[in-house]
Amino acid sequence: MSRMASSSSLEITVISAEGLRLGRHSIRKNAFAIVQTDSRNSRSTKMDTEGGSYPSWNEKLALELPNNAHIVTVQVQCKTSSGDRTVGTAKIPVSDFIGDYTPAHYLHFLSYRLREHDGERNGIVNLSVRVKEAHYVDCLSRPWLGAQRPCLGVGDGENNSVGIVTGVPA
């Protein structure tokens, strides 16, 4: 039975944020974070009603990370009387926690600068990331993959297509 990795499972703990502002004013309460791996995979923390400009969530979120994903987006928002407002966004390269020489299930502690929509700095978000496991797709259950080309190797990162690994082991 031929199988290919279709995605990985991520465990992202949104720990806290620091120095958050809306305009020139420090946030007083009601900050929350949204983590997104692609347009179909996003999760949100609960609202911190007491932390103000230094909210603390320490909330573990489980998300799927498709093979073609290159960035994980973390957006901090604040609920105001006029609705939810974006405080800042951090774009985290997947290469920061996948593809290095760390062992499987390694817990990465990371901090990123949040940026407003115009690029201005607005605080820092602290989180941890652990790659839990790869999820596999049975190529025989997807005849359009197996019929057109063999289901060997790994995806090439474009449209979930399957590449063929060739070569001679050295």
Side-chain angles (χ1 to χ4, degrees):
M1 180 180 301
S2 190
R3 296 169 14 143
M4 64 170 263
S6 63
S7 66
S8 295
S9 176
L10 291 182
E11 179 182 277
I12 299 177
T13 302
V14 184
I15 299 168
S16 63
E18 307 168 26
L20 304 180
R21 320 178 303 277
L22 280 176
R24 294 183 188 202
H25 304 285
S26 295
I27 290 176
R28 293 184 188 183
K29 59 182 179 176
N30 299 339
F32 61 98
I34 300 169
V35 179
Q36 183 174 16
T37 57
D38 69 7
S39 61
R40 295 176 297 195
N41 292 300
S42 68
R43 300 285 182 275
S44 176
T45 65
K46 293 182 177 86
M47 200 175 306
D48 180 330
T49 58
E50 299 175 4
S53 291
Y54 293 83
S56 178
W57 300 284
N58 203 28
E59 191 168 337
K60 196 176 293 187
L61 307 172
L63 291 113
E64 294 300 313
L65 179 68
N67 277 346
N68 61 351
H70 299 287
I71 292 175
V72 173
T73 303
V74 178
Q75 188 175 72
V76 176
Q77 295 191 357
C78 180
K79 186 170 205 62
T80 67
S81 59
S82 59
D84 295 345
R85 295 194 42 204
T86 300
V87 175
T89 303
K91 294 187 183 282
I92 303 166
V94 170
S95 61
D96 281 5
F97 51 86
I98 290 181
D100 56 7
Y101 296 103
T102 56
H105 302 287
Y106 184 80
L107 184 61
H108 299 265
F109 285 92
L110 307 165
S111 295
Y112 291 91
R113 171 74 64 188
L114 292 167
R115 302 251 178 209
E116 295 177 0
H117 68 280
D118 62 359
E120 286 292 316
R121 295 176 178 185
N122 191 4
I124 293 171
V125 65
N126 304 299
L127 46 100
S128 69
V129 179
R130 182 188 316 257
V131 179
K132 294 295 282 183
E133 61 189 57
H135 295 282
Y136 292 92
V137 174
D138 176 5
C139 296
L140 298 177
S141 69
R142 298 211 176 163
W144 62 90
L145 289 175
Q148 291 179 358
R149 49 187 171 163
C151 191
L152 302 170
V154 296
D156 62 8
E158 295 181 18
N159 302 322
N160 293 326
S161 58
V162 179
I164 299 173
V165 176
T166 60
V168 178

